[in-house]
Amino acid sequence: MSERSINVYDTNLLVIFTFRPVIELVKEHFNGNFELNQKKMDEIIHMSWDAIKA
């Protein structure tokens, strides 16, 4: 198994990249434009890990 290195990024940039999409999803949910349920949360988490691994 090969060892992977973790890239070091600006913390503020990482927070913006991570939380802005979540904030927008929650806003859409509360505005009635998006149904946020467990299945979609699982999919979002999976997509996020895929993006991290890329």
Side-chain angles (χ1 to χ4, degrees), residues 29-41:
H29 172 74
F30 282 114
N31 287 333
N33 300 323
F34 180 77
E35 181 185 346
L36 191 57
N37 56 34
Q38 188 61 50
K39 182 178 182 214
K40 288 184 181 173
M41 286 297 297

Side-chain angles (χ1 to χ4, degrees), residues 6-45:
I6 297 176
N7 294 329
V8 178
Y9 294 107
D10 179 274
T11 305
N12 290 330
L13 183 60
L14 185 59
V15 169
I16 291 168
F17 181 79
T18 304
F19 290 108
R20 290 303 282 184
V22 173
I23 291 168
E24 292 304 316
L25 279 171
V26 171
K27 283 165 74 175
E28 290 296 310
H29 172 74
F30 282 114
N31 287 333
N33 300 323
F34 180 77
E35 181 185 346
L36 191 57
N37 56 34
Q38 188 61 50
K39 182 178 182 214
K40 288 184 181 173
M41 286 297 297
D42 291 343
E43 187 174 352
I44 291 166
I45 291 167

